[in-house]
């Protein structure tokens, strides 16, 4: 019997077979293979012994949060309390796109932003839309549902940005726990205690513990460059140009000409250094 893992707590896996949900354990052979089932996996199970027998080849797999076969990532972005972080936004976009997952930026807490601040924010976010990255307000539920139909969706973003709140709005029966933002730290507190995949209409959605620190382990410089889509529009003298210290770099010229968003380039350089640091630690 085939199904999808929708929940994992310790070594217990809830498998949705469409007909029923069965709590299974994983066969010992997976440990010998260096493989572990994760939420989102399509698996074959033995319903009598309640064991997972086979993991179907994955489309992709994220490590933080740990989830497989994702179509879309909703990057939930608070504009205030906590304030928008373009470094985190760009890092999430980089990780999502490098895993061949479509990113959608979902804006929350627009009511806390002044008209003057909103005007500046809209100008910046328009830049992302020009990169064919969808940007939508969390109040546009009909639009969100249409985008997510028949998709497996992961929610990610700042802690306290409203990931659980979005799920509650899409399906009021979920009633996920939410907590107020810590005023002193300008960040949220973890409210989700395990990774779980929820069936909402014709889509699956994953609610995961919030996080604000992500690394770029195992990502190459070339993969990083490819996730900054706008760089491909500008030619450099060298094919392997890292857009850092090289002369006659088309990307740096475009930056100087105001064609590239400064925070995007700054974050690219930050991530580039992180990749170099990870590589040096790996080969020490």
């Amino acid at each position: 019997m085939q199904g999808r893992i929708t929940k994992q707590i310790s070594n217990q896996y809830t498998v949705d077979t469409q007909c029923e949900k069965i709590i299974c354990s994983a066969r010992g052979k997976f440990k010998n293979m260096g493989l572990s089932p994760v939420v989102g996996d399509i698996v074959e199970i033995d319903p009598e012994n309640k064991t997972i027998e086979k993991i179907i080849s994955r489309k992709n797999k994220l490590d933080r949060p740990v989830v497989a076969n994702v179509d879309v990532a909703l990057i939930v972005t608070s504009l205030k309390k906590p304030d928008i972080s373009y470094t985190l936004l760009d890092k999430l976009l980089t990780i999502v796109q490098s895993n061949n997952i479509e990113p959608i930026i979902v804006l929350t807490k627009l009511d806390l932003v002044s008209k003057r601040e909103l005007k500046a924010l809209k100008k910046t976010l328009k830049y992302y839309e020009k990169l064919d990255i969808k940007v939508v307000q969390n109040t546009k539920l009909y639009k969100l549902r249409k985008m997510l139909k028949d998709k497996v969706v992961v929610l990610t973003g700042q802690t306290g940005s409203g990931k659980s709140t979005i799920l509650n709005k899409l399906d009021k029966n979920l009633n996920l726990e939410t907590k107020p933002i810590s005023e002193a730290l300008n960040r949220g507190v973890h409210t989700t205690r395990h990774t779980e995949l929820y069936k909402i209409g014709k889509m699956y959605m994953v609610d995961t513990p919030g996080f604000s620190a992500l690394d770029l382990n195992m990502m190459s410089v070339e993969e990083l460059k490819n996730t900054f889509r706008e760089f491909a529009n500008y030619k450099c003298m060298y094919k392997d140009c890292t857009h850092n210290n090289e002369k006659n770099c088309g990307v740096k010229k475009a930056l100087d000409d105001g064609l590239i968003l400064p925070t995007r380039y700054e974050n690219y350089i930050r991530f580039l250094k992180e990749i170099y640091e990870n590589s040096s630690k790996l080969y020490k």
Side-chain angles (χ1 to χ4, degrees), residues 4 6 16 18 21 150-151 167 170-171 173-174 196-206:
R4 185 189 296 273
T6 59
D16 186 352
Q18 299 301 321
K21 291 185 178 181
D150 299 324
K151 306 291 185 182
L167 278 175
L170 288 170
D171 187 342
N173 294 323
L174 291 176
E196 187 166 350
L197 195 154
Y198 297 96
K199 187 79 177 287
I200 301 178
K202 293 187 177 181
M203 58 182 148
Y204 279 108
M205 298 192 76
V206 180

Side-chain angles (χ1 to χ4, degrees), residues 110-157:
L110 276 80
D111 56 316
L112 300 180
V113 180
S114 68
K115 289 183 178 179
R116 186 176 180 181
E117 289 173 316
L118 188 59
K119 187 177 180 181
L121 284 165
K122 282 184 174 180
K123 186 178 179 181
T124 300
L125 291 167
K126 201 75 179 174
Y127 180 91
Y128 288 90
E129 290 182 307
K130 288 180 180 178
L131 299 176
D132 291 325
I133 297 171
K134 294 171 184 173
V135 180
V136 63
Q137 297 177 23
N138 68 324
T139 53
K140 308 293 184 182
L141 296 180
Y142 173 78
K143 191 174 182 180
L144 263 179
R145 287 193 184 99
K146 192 174 180 181
M147 288 177 177
L148 304 178
K149 184 180 177 183
D150 299 324
K151 306 291 185 182
V152 174
V153 185
V154 64
L155 287 91
T156 187

Side-chain angles (χ1 to χ4, degrees), residues 164-165 167-169 171-178 198:
S164 293
T165 301
L167 278 175
N168 284 336
K169 285 183 177 180
D171 187 342
K172 294 178 181 179
N173 294 323
L174 291 176
N175 195 28
L176 298 177
E177 180 188 3
T178 56
Y198 297 96

Side-chain angles (χ1 to χ4, degrees), residues 90 127 228 230-231 242-246 249 251-252 255 260-272:
D90 284 336
Y127 180 91
F228 281 76
E230 61 269 50
F231 291 1
T242 63
H243 317 310
N244 188 11
N245 298 316
E246 296 91 342
C249 172
V251 169
K252 290 178 73 175
L255 176 70
I260 291 176
L261 190 67
T263 54
R264 283 281 287 174
Y265 181 76
E266 290 164 12
N267 287 330
Y268 165 76
I269 294 299
R270 184 178 285 113
F271 304 158
L272 183 67

Side-chain angles (χ1 to χ4, degrees), residues 36-264:
S36 297
V38 300
V39 169
D41 270 335
I42 305 296
V43 294
E44 288 183 4
I45 67 169
D46 179 339
E48 289 186 9
N49 294 315
K50 297 184 178 179
T51 54
I52 295 173
E53 300 293 320
K54 182 180 179 181
I55 300 172
I56 306 302
S57 182
R58 293 165 176 158
K59 172 182 176 180
N60 52 43
K61 177 178 172 286
L62 289 176
D63 293 323
R64 296 179 65 187
V66 180
V67 61
N69 299 315
V70 179
D71 298 308
V72 174
L74 293 185
I75 301 177
V76 185
T77 306
S78 169
L79 300 183
K80 279 279 186 180
K81 297 184 179 181
D83 296 342
I84 187 169
S85 167
Y86 289 109
T87 300
L88 179 58
L89 176 60
D90 284 336
K91 182 168 276 192
L92 288 170
L93 285 169
T94 290
I95 292 170
V96 164
Q97 291 174 118
S98 68
N99 283 278
N100 297 314
I101 298 170
E102 179 191 2
I104 299 177
I105 300 171
V106 182
L107 306 177
T108 65
K109 306 185 184 180
L110 276 80
D111 56 316
L112 300 180
V113 180
S114 68
K115 289 183 178 179
R116 186 176 180 181
E117 289 173 316
L118 188 59
K119 187 177 180 181
L121 284 165
K122 282 184 174 180
K123 186 178 179 181
T124 300
L125 291 167
K126 201 75 179 174
Y127 180 91
Y128 288 90
E129 290 182 307
K130 288 180 180 178
L131 299 176
D132 291 325
I133 297 171
K134 294 171 184 173
V135 180
V136 63
Q137 297 177 23
N138 68 324
T139 53
K140 308 293 184 182
L141 296 180
Y142 173 78
K143 191 174 182 180
L144 263 179
R145 287 193 184 99
K146 192 174 180 181
M147 288 177 177
L148 304 178
K149 184 180 177 183
D150 299 324
K151 306 291 185 182
V152 174
V153 185
V154 64
L155 287 91
T156 187
Q158 298 154 295
T159 301
S161 59
K163 295 185 290 297
S164 293
T165 301
I166 286 175
L167 278 175
N168 284 336
K169 285 183 177 180
L170 288 170
D171 187 342
K172 294 178 181 179
N173 294 323
L174 291 176
N175 195 28
L176 298 177
E177 180 188 3
T178 56
K179 291 185 179 180
I181 301 303
S182 167
E183 293 287 342
L185 299 177
N186 191 33
R187 63 178 175 83
V189 289
H190 300 313
T191 57
T192 311
R193 292 176 175 81
H194 62 268
T195 301
E196 187 166 350
L197 195 154
Y198 297 96
K199 187 79 177 287
I200 301 178
K202 293 187 177 181
M203 58 182 148
Y204 279 108
M205 298 192 76
V206 180
D207 190 33
T208 56
F211 54 85
S212 56
L214 295 170
D215 55 46
L216 300 167
N217 283 341
M218 308 308 292
M219 184 177 290
S220 69
V221 172
E222 195 63 31
E223 286 173 329
L224 175 67
K225 286 162 59 177
N226 290 338
T227 65
F228 281 76
R229 300 174 178 179
E230 61 269 50
F231 291 1
N233 297 325
Y234 310 104
K235 291 184 179 180
C236 301
M237 179 178 285
Y238 308 104
K239 277 189 175 182
D240 59 350
C241 183
T242 63
H243 317 310
N244 188 11
N245 298 316
E246 296 91 342
K247 292 181 179 180
N248 299 316
C249 172
V251 169
K252 290 178 73 175
K253 185 179 184 304
L255 176 70
D256 293 338
D257 292 342
L259 300 174
I260 291 176
L261 190 67
T263 54
R264 283 281 287 174

